[in-house]
């Protein structure tokens, strides 16, 4: 083969590979994860919570219209399929208090994460800024939080590893608390979702069904001095 | 023996490449758009990582059960779901993901329908999911070019002088 023919052949092969790779690489994404029927976001305010009443426990039936995967960084409608429970905790006592949170799901397919934060103008402003995120402020916050907790939580992480990061974060979170001074408030946001892998076989292409689960959510207030957690 | 294996590999790669180029050419000429499935909402019929190829179809030709790609009413992006109900009079459709328990929230109008899914190809969607930057495509091209140039130079150097085949 002459050098000229060889050059033409090489050029043709390279051009072909680039054409094919470019074509497939430029395909737009489609099929949002689980585009659902109506909003399942359920905001529950636990009403004002006096630290003298030191354990507030709520067990709710959760009805999910769709499942999802929190570890999928391409999933941009996550915020649409979760159930959010919000509790505003106000210290109406005389001394500072610590606020702990516990979430106990009734099955392994029910996943959760929670955030306990002091209510302040700065925090409210930050939430408003987060809302500008393309994939929704809650998904963005979960991804950022887990990545800060463990830097291996990045795009491409396996499901098993992602669940380990989530479990470890929740364990660590359980031992942390928010200190609420006299007259101050804290907001606890519990985010729950139905895991796709667990529930995919129960979903049916022909019949409309729902996924139900339960979670026991406890918000615990203790004295700030010793922070002993009641059982 | 070694040479024949090499020839087989070269031939297979050449055929695959030629078919890929032909495929891309047909898609471009026919106006068929390719999309990468980034979720499992149509599982098991469409899986994450599949490529779906969508062609504009007259509304009257659509029917319940067809899989269509639809633009969101607000914001960018599309979703690819099955037609659950169709209203020919008002030219609207209700869609549903095979892996979702309820129909989609929004009724889609004719103008939102990008087209009907003609077929899907497994795995090709991953290309766009992982190559999200034009610079990556350019880098792949440059690497290929360097590799092939290096191979050609090495082969040229190995040839004994006066090899008639090379003339």
């Amino acid at each position: 083969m002459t050098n000229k023919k060889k050059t033409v052949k090489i050029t043709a092969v390279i051009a072909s590979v680039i054409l094919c790779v470019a074509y497939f690489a430029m395909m737009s994404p489609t099929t949002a994860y689980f585009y659902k029927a109506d909003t399942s976001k359920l905001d529950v305010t636990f009403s004002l919570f006096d630290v003298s009443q030191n354990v507030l426990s709520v067990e709710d039936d959760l009805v999910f219209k769709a499942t999802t995967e929190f570890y999928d960084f391409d999933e941009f409608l996550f915020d649409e399929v979760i159930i959010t429970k919000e509790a505003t905790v106000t210290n109406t006592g005389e001394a500072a208090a610590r606020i702990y949170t516990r979430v106990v799901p009734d099955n392994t397919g029910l996943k959760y994460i929670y955030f306990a934060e002091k209510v302040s103008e700065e925090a409210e402003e930050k939430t408003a800024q987060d809302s500008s995120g393309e994939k929704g402020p809650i998904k963005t916050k979960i991804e950022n939080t887990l990545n800060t907790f463990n830097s291996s939580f990045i795009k491409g992480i396996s499901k098993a590893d992602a669940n380990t990061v989530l479990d470890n974060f929740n364990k660590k979170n359980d031992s942390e608390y928010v200190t609420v001074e006299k007259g101050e408030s804290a907001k606890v946001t519990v985010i729950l979702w139905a895991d796709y892998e667990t529930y995919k076989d129960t979903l049916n292409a022909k019949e409309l069904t729902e996924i139900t689960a339960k979670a026991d959510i406890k918000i615990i207030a203790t004295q700030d001095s010793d922070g002993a957690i009641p059982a | 023996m070694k040479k024949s294996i090499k020839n087989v590999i070269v031939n297979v790669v050449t055929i695959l490449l030629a078919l890929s180029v032909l495929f891309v050419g047909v898609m471009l000429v026919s106006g068929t758009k390719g999309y990468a499935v980034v979720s499992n909402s149509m599982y098991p019929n469409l899986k994450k990582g599949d490529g779906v190829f969508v062609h504009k179809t007259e509304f009257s030709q659509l029917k319940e059960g067809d899989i269509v790609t639809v633009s969101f009413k607000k914001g960018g992006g599309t979703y690819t779901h099955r037609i659950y109900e169709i209203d020919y009079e008002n030219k609207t459709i209700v869609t549903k993901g095979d892996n979702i328990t309820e129909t989609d929230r929004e009724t889609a109008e004719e103008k939102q329908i990008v087209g009907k899914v003609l077929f899907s190809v497994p795995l090709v969607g991953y290309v766009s999911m992982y190559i999200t930057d034009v610079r990556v495509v350019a880098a792949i091209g440059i690497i290929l070019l360097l590799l092939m140039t290096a191979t050609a130079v090495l082969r040229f150097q190995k040839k004994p002088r006066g090899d008639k085949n090379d003339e």
Side-chain angles (χ1 to χ4, degrees):
Chain A
M1 192 186 288
T2 63
N3 283 342
K4 195 178 173 185
K5 276 186 183 171
K6 211 180 269 180
T7 308
V8 171
K9 194 178 171 187
I10 288 170
T11 309
V13 169
I14 291 170
S16 307
V17 171
I18 291 175
L19 174 73
C20 294
V21 172
Y23 178 81
F24 292 117
M26 287 191 294
M27 290 199 306
S28 305
T30 188
T31 309
Y33 226 100
F34 300 119
Y35 191 61
K36 55 183 271 311
D38 57 8
T39 179
S40 64
K41 186 175 177 183
L42 180 65
D43 292 330
V44 174
T45 301
F46 283 78
S47 75
L48 294 183
F49 179 41
D50 187 327
V51 292
S52 60
Q53 175 200 345
N54 60 8
V55 179
L56 182 61
S57 179
V58 172
E59 189 176 77
D60 259 346
D61 285 329
L62 306 164
V63 179
F64 294 94
K65 308 292 184 187
T67 60
T68 189
E69 293 282 22
F70 80 103
Y71 77 101
D72 187 342
F73 281 66
D74 293 318
E75 208 288 81
F76 59 91
L77 287 179
F78 179 88
D79 286 21
E80 298 285 324
V81 302
I82 55 175
I83 290 179
T84 306
K85 301 232 174 239
E86 290 179 348
T88 303
V89 183
T90 303
N91 182 359
T92 56
E94 292 300 314
R98 293 178 183 184
I99 305 296
Y100 293 86
T101 307
R102 295 282 182 278
V103 181
V104 183
D106 72 342
N107 73 80
T108 54
L110 177 59
K111 300 290 178 191
Y112 72 94
I113 192 168
Y114 65 85
F115 302 102
E117 294 149 316
K118 259 190 184 176
V119 176
S120 67
E121 280 182 18
E122 196 184 320
E124 296 292 314
E125 202 175 298
K126 194 171 180 302
T127 307
Q129 283 170 1
D130 287 347
S131 304
S132 61
E134 236 178 78
K135 63 175 82 162
I138 295 173
K139 184 77 188 326
T140 305
K141 187 172 181 175
I142 291 173
E143 285 177 4
N144 291 343
T145 302
L146 293 180
N147 180 259
T148 305
F149 172 67
N150 184 328
S151 59
S152 66
F153 189 80
I154 51 172
K155 191 170 182 175
I157 189 172
S158 72
K159 183 182 174 95
D161 289 346
N163 276 331
T164 303
V165 173
L166 179 68
D167 290 345
N168 289 340
F169 175 80
N170 283 336
K171 269 181 206 160
K172 180 189 91 72
N173 218 7
D174 282 353
S175 64
E176 295 193 343
Y177 57 86
V178 181
T179 303
V180 184
E181 301 292 336
K182 174 188 170 185
E184 284 184 345
S185 297
K187 188 173 155 189
V188 178
T189 308
V190 183
I191 298 147
L192 304 116
W193 63 93
D195 179 63
Y196 164 70
E197 281 298 323
T198 308
Y199 289 107
K200 67 181 180 189
D201 294 335
T202 65
L203 298 173
N204 189 306
K206 290 173 188 167
E207 291 175 23
L208 304 180
T209 54
E210 288 178 341
I211 295 159
T212 56
K214 277 185 180 179
D216 181 20
I217 299 168
K218 281 190 173 71
I219 295 180
I220 304 155
T222 72
Q223 293 181 76
D224 190 41
S225 53
D226 58 18
I229 308 170
Chain B
M1 180 67 179
K2 204 174 172 184
K3 199 174 178 182
S4 66
I5 291 171
K6 191 180 160 188
N7 283 340
V8 169
I9 292 170
V10 168
N11 288 337
V12 168
V13 170
T14 307
I15 289 167
L16 284 176
L17 202 54
L19 286 174
S20 300
V21 171
L22 184 68
F23 176 82
V24 171
V26 170
M27 292 299 106
L28 291 173
V29 170
S30 66
T32 303
K33 293 179 184 171
Y35 290 88
V37 177
V38 296
S39 74
N40 280 314
S41 67
M42 282 294 290
Y43 186 91
N45 293 304
L46 293 176
K47 299 179 189 70
K48 184 178 175 180
D50 286 358
V52 289
F53 295 87
V54 177
H55 194 71
K56 185 75 186 165
T57 307
E58 287 295 316
F59 192 88
S60 58
Q61 301 296 311
L62 296 173
K63 59 184 186 305
E64 285 173 9
D66 284 347
I67 300 174
V68 287
T69 296
V70 180
S71 299
F72 284 109
K73 268 183 186 158
K74 290 179 186 171
T78 61
Y79 58 95
T80 299
H81 281 175
R82 194 179 292 282
I83 298 178
Y84 191 77
E85 282 174 19
I86 190 161
D87 181 345
Y88 291 105
E89 200 174 315
N90 295 312
K91 294 194 173 180
T92 58
I93 56 169
V94 176
T95 50
K96 178 184 170 298
D98 290 355
N99 192 24
I100 304 178
T101 60
E102 294 195 2
T103 55
D104 295 328
R105 176 172 39 193
E106 291 176 354
T107 299
E109 295 166 11
E110 184 186 19
K111 64 182 178 189
Q112 288 175 257
I113 302 170
V114 178
K116 180 178 165 180
V117 173
L118 299 180
F119 60 93
S120 66
V121 179
L123 304 176
V124 298
Y126 281 112
V127 179
S128 80
M129 286 158 66
Y130 288 101
I131 303 177
T132 52
D133 197 324
V134 176
R135 285 171 295 186
V136 179
V137 180
I140 291 171
I142 291 166
I143 291 167
L144 280 172
L145 188 64
L146 290 173
L147 279 174
M148 296 183 100
T149 309
T151 312
V153 168
L154 285 174
R155 282 179 64 183
F156 184 75
Q157 282 178 344
K158 277 183 186 171
K159 294 271 182 195
R161 286 183 174 214
D163 189 343
K164 296 288 179 192
N165 293 335
D166 219 23
E167 295 302 316

